[in-house]
Amino acid sequence: DEKIVVGANGLAIEAFTASAAALRAPRHLKAARATAERIWRAAYDPETRRLARQLLADRAEGEGFLEDYALLARGFLALHETTGETRWRTRAAALAQAMLEHFSRPDGRLASARDEADLFVSADEHEDYVHPSGPSAALDVLRRLSEPRFAAAADRIVRGFASRFAARPERWPALAAAAAKVAPATQQAVAALAPKDTGAPDRDWPTSANRVR
């Protein structure tokens, strides 16, 4: 399989960047930069602000899902936070703006695919698993960009997902971790919806989730 999946490479960029700092391994940072540049130049169209799902022989193929935008943006933010290079933050902000344009719903949530009508099972049904789901990664990106326009969007997303989180909080650890760092008023609104019969105090849901990024 020679496909290069954009979201998976976003995870790889973030992992290489973290290992470069932790292990003092410049070659890992070099790999992260090279991967990020290749994906950005081949998979993102600045005119339409659309990101492809994958690359095959360096050709962009398919429509990117929310997770592709969000996980790639996380990789770019990791590079920015480690190197201080502004181009990575600029690109992460471009992806964040594209996410809001392409995936925002009236109820504040983010759809996981631009056109879910053609999907047999809605991608929105995917929750956090071995890596953050698209909505959880998107919330993390919006929070870390620290701009008013993105902070307001993050607030809407937390409120939009509050009922789903309250129903099955164990399925949304990455969402909870990101939500725990948004505005206090939003945290309180979500915490008020936490189930009362789990045996755990409501205040514990963001704290325990902070162990997952």
Side-chain angles (χ1 to χ4, degrees):
D1 190 346
E2 298 180 354
K3 294 191 301 292
I4 299 175
V5 179
V6 170
N9 276 266
L11 289 169
I13 293 165
E14 186 175 7
F16 271 123
T17 303
S19 66
L23 302 176
R24 298 184 180 180
R27 68 185 186 280
H28 292 184
L29 188 58
K30 181 179 180 180
R33 280 194 180 108
T35 302
E37 283 290 355
R38 181 182 182 186
I39 296 295
W40 178 253
R41 295 185 185 283
Y44 182 70
D45 183 342
E47 293 186 3
T48 62
R49 293 187 293 279
R50 291 190 180 185
L51 186 69
R53 170 64 175 166
Q54 63 190 29
L55 300 178
L56 184 61
D58 274 338
R59 295 194 312 272
E61 293 190 342
E63 189 78 42
F65 292 128
L66 173 64
E67 70 172 24
D68 296 305
Y69 288 75
L71 293 175
L72 183 60
R74 275 175 56 120
F76 288 170
L77 282 177
L79 276 170
H80 167 66
E81 291 162 1
T82 297
T83 67
E85 296 168 356
T86 58
R87 58 178 165 154
W88 304 118
R89 190 190 185 285
T90 299
R91 292 173 181 181
L95 289 171
Q97 185 61 42
M99 287 190 300
L100 297 179
E101 292 175 3
H102 299 322
F103 301 101
S104 291
R105 287 178 162 178
D107 63 2
R109 291 188 298 150
L110 292 174
S112 288
R114 280 176 53 87
D115 185 3
E116 295 181 343
D118 294 334
L119 298 179
F120 182 71
V121 176
S122 172
D124 183 61
E125 296 173 10
H126 295 174
E127 297 150 340
D128 296 330
Y129 186 49
V130 295
H131 61 73
S133 64
S136 299
L139 178 61
D140 180 60
V141 167
L142 295 169
R143 176 190 62 78
R144 288 162 64 187
L145 284 168
S146 300
E147 292 185 24
R149 56 176 172 155
F150 296 137
D155 184 89
R156 292 193 298 272
I157 292 167
V158 171
R159 293 178 182 275
F161 274 91
S163 60
R164 294 191 70 190
F165 172 82
R168 299 299 298 269
E170 74 281 3
R171 294 188 175 184
W172 296 95
L175 182 74
K181 299 172 184 176
V182 297
T186 303
Q187 295 179 33
Q188 294 168 8
V190 177
L193 293 174
K196 307 300 182 183
D197 58 350
T198 62
D202 291 349
R203 65 178 180 275
D204 285 347
W205 71 262
T207 304
S208 60
N210 279 340
R211 294 195 293 269
V212 182
R213 275 205 66 183

